[in-house]
Amino acid sequence: MSYYLSFSSSLNEIKNALLNFNGISDILDILLVAFIIYAGIKLIRDTKAIQLAKGFILILILYAAVNIFNMEASSYLFSMIFSNLLLVLVIIFSPEIRHALESVGRSSVSNFSLFSFKNSDLILKQDLSNTMINAVCRSCSEMSDEKIGALIVLEKETLLGQIIETGTKIDAEISPEILGNIFFPKAPLHDGAAIIRNFRVCAAGCILPLTKNNDISSSLGTRHRAAIGMSEQSDAIVIVVSEETGAISVAEKGNLRRNISDGDLREILSNSFSYEDTDKGFFKKIRRDK
């Protein structure tokens, strides 16, 4: 009976909310709440906090079940937890909250510099991007000359947390020497893929999903099929160096460009990781902020 009354009360609250709809202000309110929820999910989706969030949702479900079946002892225990819910959330998600506030602060500062020709954040990103491109192109050229097989994934907007978990985390500054050591024959991590995130070598020895496209050439090996599969499931750019021929190939959006030159590789990466200020400083267009 209590369950029926609770359900009926919820329906009445929804009905009253619809009847008291105030137009634009309520629409803005809904959009703001939706944005906050979306931003929160986006913030934690590639971190360990997502597991904590799943556990918290499970506790909420258990709490609802306890109330439905009038389990007084359990209900009292859960009520003690939820009475300090805000404090519990702040403690659990304190690293993510701090990161979010830092991101908002950086964005706010950059928005005030509308009339500057170059935003310092963009300049830093462009410098890091140039360093990454130079290191990748040089290492690929050297491995191509020596016919050393390699598989390099450059993460963009689609986060590759699940792929990173399949390998060994490194978190090292990118350089031709680091990439060369990773893919050196008989090295422990040379068989998998190296993931580059935020202009750093994030992980190596990672396992990529193979493409399910049966129309691709039968001459392509596992590295090339993995590169195509990864590019089909994300917006990442995947570079392959063939161990048999030394040819360099690039997979992007499910398409594979084979036997490209060093100059072509540099051009592809430069176009994909460019942070130039194209609006002359009046309105900044930042392609990503991580």
Side-chain angles (χ1 to χ4, degrees), residues 10-286:
S10 298
L11 289 179
N12 288 331
E13 290 181 5
I14 294 173
K15 180 180 178 180
N16 292 332
L18 292 175
L19 291 175
N20 297 325
F21 189 75
N22 292 325
I24 296 177
S25 62
D26 283 344
I27 292 175
L28 292 176
D29 189 19
I30 293 171
L31 290 176
L32 178 60
V33 172
F35 174 77
I36 292 174
I37 294 174
Y38 168 77
I41 294 174
K42 184 178 180 181
L43 181 68
I44 67 172
R45 66 179 179 179
D46 197 50
T47 67
K48 293 182 179 179
I50 190 65
Q51 303 300 327
L52 295 175
K54 291 178 181 178
F56 182 72
I57 292 173
L58 178 60
I59 292 176
L60 283 175
I61 295 173
L62 290 175
Y63 184 45
V66 164
N67 284 331
I68 291 173
F69 294 104
N70 294 322
M71 302 168 65
E72 295 184 1
S74 299
S75 180
Y76 175 77
L77 179 62
F78 278 109
S79 65
M80 294 293 293
I81 296 175
F82 286 103
S83 62
N84 299 305
L85 179 61
L86 182 60
L87 179 61
V88 171
L89 290 177
V90 169
I91 294 174
I92 293 177
F93 297 105
S94 57
E96 286 71 25
I97 294 173
R98 179 178 178 180
H99 174 69
L101 293 175
E102 290 176 350
S103 299
V104 171
R106 286 196 299 268
S107 299
S108 300
V109 171
S110 63
N111 287 336
F112 282 111
S113 58
L114 294 177
F115 299 100
S116 63
F117 286 98
K118 276 291 183 180
N119 182 280
S120 59
D121 186 48
L122 290 177
I123 295 175
L124 176 60
K125 284 188 175 183
Q126 192 61 60
D127 289 342
L128 292 172
S129 176
N130 292 338
T131 300
M132 176 189 72
I133 292 171
N134 290 334
V136 170
C137 290
R138 180 181 158 189
S139 63
C140 287
S141 177
E142 292 175 352
M143 289 186 289
S144 175
D145 292 339
E146 299 178 16
K147 295 185 178 181
I148 296 176
L151 186 57
I152 303 172
V153 181
L154 286 79
E155 183 187 67
K156 295 178 70 177
E157 296 293 338
T158 304
L159 299 179
L160 306 177
Q162 291 183 341
I163 302 298
I164 291 171
E165 291 295 332
T166 65
T168 301
K169 293 185 178 180
I170 297 177
D171 190 25
E173 291 186 7
I174 189 169
S175 68
E177 291 76 18
I178 288 291
L179 293 174
N181 285 335
I182 290 174
F183 294 108
F184 186 79
K186 297 183 180 181
L189 303 176
H190 82 283
D191 274 337
I195 311 295
I196 296 177
R197 165 186 283 183
N198 292 337
F199 315 111
R200 296 175 65 85
V201 182
C202 179
C206 299
I207 300 173
L208 305 185
L210 299 179
T211 180
K212 296 180 180 179
N213 186 356
N214 296 322
D215 296 330
I216 63 175
S217 174
S218 59
S219 63
L220 295 178
T222 303
R223 282 195 179 94
H224 292 83
R225 293 176 183 273
I228 296 173
M230 187 74 264
S231 69
E232 289 173 341
Q233 298 185 20
S234 71
D235 62 352
I237 294 180
V238 190
I239 305 170
V240 185
V241 180
S242 173
E243 189 174 4
E244 290 75 20
T245 65
I248 300 174
S249 302
V250 173
E252 186 177 11
K253 298 179 180 178
N255 298 315
L256 183 68
R257 294 179 58 180
R258 304 178 63 183
N259 302 322
I260 65 173
S261 65
D262 297 346
D264 291 335
L265 176 59
R266 183 176 296 275
E267 181 179 359
I268 293 171
L269 297 182
S270 297
N271 290 336
S272 297
F273 295 93
S274 175
Y275 299 90
E276 294 297 333
D277 191 7
T278 57
D279 54 12
K280 304 302 181 183
F282 290 98
F283 295 99
K284 306 297 183 185
K285 182 180 179 182
I286 303 177

Side-chain angles (χ1 to χ4, degrees), residues 1-10 64-71:
M1 185 65 179
S2 61
Y3 172 74
Y4 173 77
L5 292 175
S6 177
F7 181 73
S8 178
S9 176
S10 298
V66 164
N67 284 331
I68 291 173
F69 294 104
N70 294 322
M71 302 168 65

